[in-house]
Amino acid sequence: MIGQKQVPSRLGGIEVAVEALSVRMAARGHDVTLYNSCRYEKSEKKVKKRQSRWDYRGVHIYDRSAIPVKGVSAMLSSLTATLRALSEKYDCIHFHAEGPAAMSFLPHLLGIRTVVTIHGLDWKRSKWGKFASWYLKQGEKTAVACADEIIVLSRAMQRYFWETYRRQTVLIPNGIEKPILKKAQLIRQKWGLEKDSYILYLGRIVPEKGLEILVEAFKQVKTEKKLVIAGGPADTESFYRKLQNMAEGDQRILFTGFVQGEIMEELFSNCYFYCLPSDLEGMPISLLEAMSYGDCCLCSDIAECAEVLDGFGYLFKRGDCEDLRIMLQMLCGNPERIQACRSQVSDYVCSRYNWDTITEQTLALYARDNSLD
């Protein structure tokens, strides 16, 4: 697999998905190798590199050091990873995301079975410049022309590829595991947060997540609850600072920075409800996670969020600050609606989006031409 930044990690949905798939494939006896695209890690003002080849839960991992230059590092990392993979004579090479998919023509030319998962239309993301957006779109077109199979995560994405390219794709969504709920302990010590005392956003801090209208709408909501924005910037430090500046003067808005482990589990376990105001998604793993914890969720009405919610939550009009304010105020004043949603959502999402089933579907796709049976 090629395209993830670092496994294990929670840097993004791709990393979560690749880890979930690869460790399950390895547990079933398959030989799985991941080519991570890692940036150099700085510690105590010294530049350190991780061990280049290591194993994790039965999965072989190569850490390919990426040049930390926005718009270039991913391209070079995908190229070097693909060239290395071609020398290993794998039965199948699986690219994740549109940028890495630009290299899918190489194994295709050599007759190696090639699978691409499109996690979202990355070329639409506002953080990219003109060249990067163009390159990502070329990756999409290369996948259409060269991949033996294209996996998409939603029906909306399936329609896009058919209407745009007349290309058949296979719908295999992301999955989730049923978590263990945690009491508010670390988050109480660190930020004074109690059960049901806050609305939560947890994910990457990037413009397409709709966080500007979330902050603006929440500032107009009459409530004592806090708004917790949990996550770190992804090459978007200036946008992160902009959000912090927008929130100045409202002591109810809390920025935690990047979270994982027990703190993340406590945040999901104890929020009043979860809010995902995105303008653009592939399939939001953070939404699946929130639902798996039994959280009531409020999302923008984009197709990718509405498909996951499937009526087990609330929607507002994408990009509409006033509609978001109305929904935030309504949910803050109606705890009975929150509780009614909580009673059903976890069992629903964990049964529908199961990683074991998704792993079997992916393995079957690898072997579809019978060469891997």
Side-chain angles (χ1 to χ4, degrees), residues 102-343:
M103 302 300 163
S104 61
F105 75 96
L106 291 170
H108 173 75
L109 289 174
L110 296 179
I112 300 171
R113 187 156 180 78
T114 306
V115 174
V116 172
T117 294
I118 302 295
H119 291 262
L121 300 182
D122 295 333
W123 54 271
K124 286 188 173 182
R125 301 188 190 280
S126 59
K127 72 175 183 176
W128 300 119
K130 289 184 179 180
F131 173 76
S133 295
W134 172 85
Y135 180 77
L136 291 167
K137 191 66 178 286
Q138 300 314 301
E140 178 180 297
K141 293 178 178 179
T142 303
V144 167
C146 298
D148 294 294
E149 304 285 355
I150 296 177
I151 297 172
V152 294
L153 307 182
S154 68
R155 289 191 292 269
M157 198 66 65
Q158 209 166 26
R159 288 193 298 271
Y160 168 80
F161 275 90
W162 178 250
E163 292 171 359
T164 305
Y165 301 106
R166 287 296 185 266
R167 172 66 199 253
Q168 294 282 1
T169 57
V170 180
L171 174 58
I172 303 179
N174 285 324
I176 198 67
E177 296 178 358
K178 197 171 184 68
I180 298 174
L181 298 181
K182 300 293 183 69
K183 292 183 178 181
Q185 295 178 337
L186 296 175
I187 61 173
R188 179 189 297 122
Q189 296 169 11
K190 196 171 182 67
W191 299 296
L193 298 174
E194 302 286 353
K195 175 73 174 174
D196 290 341
S197 69
Y198 59 95
I199 300 161
L200 175 66
Y201 167 84
L202 193 153
R204 292 181 302 129
I205 310 299
V206 291
E208 63 267 18
K209 293 295 185 180
L211 294 171
E212 289 176 277
I213 68 162
L214 176 58
V215 170
E216 191 59 39
F218 180 78
K219 287 166 65 176
Q220 302 173 53
V221 173
K222 297 178 181 179
T223 181
E224 293 183 359
K225 298 188 186 298
K226 294 183 178 181
L227 172 63
V228 174
I229 298 178
D235 297 320
T236 53
E237 288 79 6
S238 61
F239 178 71
Y240 193 83
R241 289 192 297 271
K242 179 181 179 181
L243 286 179
Q244 291 176 313
N245 291 336
M246 288 179 62
E248 279 188 3
D250 194 328
Q251 300 301 315
R252 300 173 301 167
I253 302 176
L254 169 66
F255 292 85
T256 69
F258 178 74
V259 297
Q260 59 183 342
E262 290 190 26
I263 287 182
M264 180 199 74
E265 294 165 2
E266 288 188 16
L267 285 171
F268 274 130
S269 296
N270 295 283
C271 69
Y272 181 60
F273 65 85
Y274 181 79
C275 187
L276 183 63
S278 291
D279 296 321
L280 178 67
E281 288 286 350
M283 184 183 188
I285 283 185
S286 64
L287 178 57
L288 290 175
E289 289 179 317
M291 294 172 73
S292 76
Y293 278 87
D295 294 336
C296 178
C297 296
L298 170 63
C299 301
S300 61
D301 62 356
I302 61 174
E304 292 80 1
C305 288
E307 184 176 329
V308 173
L309 274 184
D310 198 20
F312 290 85
Y314 295 90
L315 298 170
F316 72 93
K317 297 176 185 177
R318 179 185 69 172
D320 190 327
C321 185
E322 176 61 13
D323 195 42
L324 176 55
R325 183 198 66 79
I326 291 171
M327 293 301 296
L328 289 170
Q329 191 70 69
M330 185 274 292
L331 290 174
C332 284
N334 290 274
E336 67 279 1
R337 293 200 178 194
I338 300 292
Q339 191 55 45
C341 185
R342 286 173 174 173
S343 65

